[in-house]
Amino acid sequence: MALWSQVLRSILMLGLEERIHYGKAAIAVTDIGDRAILAFADGTTAHADIVIGADGANSALRAHATPGREPVELPVAAIYGRSTIETLSKELSDSGVLALEGPPGRGAFFASMQYHEAPKTAFARLAPGADAPDDHDYVMWALSFPRSDAPAGQEPETLHAFARTLAADFHPVIRRMVEQGDPGSLIHTFMRAAQRPTTWTMPHVARLGDAAHLMPPFGAAGGNTALRDAAVLAEMLRTLPPTQALAAYLKEMGAYAFKEVEASVKQMKRLTQTGQLAQ
C-alpha cells in the first residue's frame, strides 16, 4: 500500500478503532433473504443487515456477489515505485508527467506527492493519540509495458533491475528517478478491467471502489470514483431503508462507474497499442 493510502486509511479510521476487527479475512458472502451471511477464513461467520464489499482489486466477495463477471485481463502490466522528491528539479516538483518512449507499448508516468503539513504533525494537532504514518514528500512513478514482457521474478532486486532496463530509453529525469527508486516500494501489477454486471443479485450486498469497478490507471479515475461511491452510498443509507439504499446506490454507481472503466480502457489502448493508428 502506498504511504499516502496509509495516511488516508488512518484518517478514515478515526473514531472507529473499537469497531475494526483484524485477522478476519472475508472469503464469501451469501444473501439469505432477510440478511446476509459473511464467511471468514477462520471458519466463523457473521450475520449482517447489509454487507459492503470494499476489499479491493482482488476482492474475495466479487465472485459471490456477481458470479461469472470477474475482471478481464488486459495486455498491459506495470511496475510502480517511489523515489525521494529531490530526484525532481524545482520546475517539475509539482508536476505530473506521462511519457511514451522506446519500443511500442511502453510508457512512464510520475507525479510528486507533497503534503502541506507532515502527517504526524497534522495528526498531533487534529487527532492527538491517533496512529499516523511517518510519511514525507516523495515522487510516485510507474512504468507500463506489454504483459508478455513481464519479468518472471517478483523479488525487489529483480523488479528494480527490470525497471531500470525499461527506463533506459527515457529522459534522464525518468532514468534517475527509477535508478534511485526504493526497491522495497516496488509493486508489480497486471492490469484488469471490471465487467458491467448484468444484474445485482444480492439485495443485502453491495460493493464499491476497485471491488466493484476495477479499471486501469490511464485517466487516474479509480480513486476519485471510489470516493464518489462512498459519498453516494452514505447519502442513500442516510435517507432510505437499507435494502432500498443499496439498490439505489448500485443503480447510480453502475451508471457512472462503468463509463469510467470504459474510458480508462480506451485511453490505455490509445497510449499502448502497437502497429496501428490510435482510434
Side-chain angles (χ1 to χ4, degrees):
M1 181 185 292
L3 278 180
W4 69 264
S5 299
Q6 294 180 25
V7 174
L8 176 60
R9 180 173 180 269
S10 296
I11 293 170
L12 295 174
M13 288 171 60
L14 290 174
L16 299 175
E17 293 83 0
E18 300 303 318
R19 294 175 177 268
I20 297 174
H21 304 275
Y22 296 94
K24 300 289 289 187
I27 59 172
V29 64
T30 306
D31 197 303
I32 60 172
D34 61 344
R35 67 180 68 88
I37 300 177
L38 196 58
F40 301 100
D42 62 5
T44 60
T45 60
H47 289 234
D49 292 331
I50 60 171
V51 171
I52 308 301
D55 49 341
N58 297 314
S59 170
L61 303 184
R62 183 190 292 117
H64 299 272
T66 50
R69 305 300 291 174
E70 287 294 287
V72 296
E73 293 185 350
L74 299 173
V76 178
I79 290 178
Y80 292 85
R82 61 180 283 165
S83 304
T84 63
I85 196 73
E86 288 74 24
T87 58
L88 290 181
S89 64
K90 179 176 175 52
E91 291 76 14
L92 292 174
S93 62
D94 59 354
S95 301
V97 174
L98 172 66
L100 303 175
E101 183 61 71
R106 293 189 180 179
F109 170 80
F110 68 83
S112 60
M113 310 295 290
Q114 301 184 69
Y115 297 102
H116 294 294
E117 185 176 7
K120 279 193 173 295
T121 303
F123 270 68
R125 179 170 57 85
L126 300 172
D131 179 39
D134 187 15
D135 200 9
H136 48 80
D137 295 349
Y138 63 95
V139 183
M140 181 199 75
W141 50 264
L143 298 168
S144 62
F145 51 92
R147 175 185 285 259
S148 57
D149 292 347
Q154 298 295 309
E155 300 80 10
E157 296 77 10
T158 300
L159 293 180
H160 200 193
F162 183 71
R164 291 196 297 269
T165 299
L166 289 175
D169 294 324
F170 283 90
H171 189 277
V173 168
I174 295 175
R175 293 204 304 268
R176 180 173 68 249
M177 193 180 305
V178 174
E179 183 70 32
Q180 298 179 16
D182 173 14
S185 72
L186 300 185
I187 299 173
H188 181 209
T189 182
F190 295 100
M191 296 184 189
R192 296 174 291 158
Q195 301 184 73
R196 185 188 295 269
T198 54
T199 183
W200 304 96
T201 58
M202 294 186 176
H204 298 83
V205 179
R207 289 175 286 121
L208 60 75
D210 283 348
H213 43 68
L214 180 63
M215 63 187 80
F218 295 88
N224 289 336
T225 307
L227 291 173
R228 182 175 180 180
D229 293 347
V232 171
L233 178 58
E235 179 62 18
M236 297 301 183
L237 289 171
R238 188 182 68 83
T239 57
L240 296 170
T243 54
Q244 292 180 33
L246 295 196
Y249 158 71
L250 290 171
K251 181 179 180 179
E252 184 168 340
M253 181 271 287
Y256 64 74
F258 288 92
K259 289 182 180 178
E260 296 293 352
V261 175
E262 293 161 4
S264 65
V265 172
K266 186 175 182 179
Q267 180 80 331
M268 180 203 74
K269 290 179 178 178
R270 284 178 172 173
L271 295 173
T272 62
Q273 65 185 353
T274 61
Q276 57 182 324
L277 292 175
Q279 300 296 315

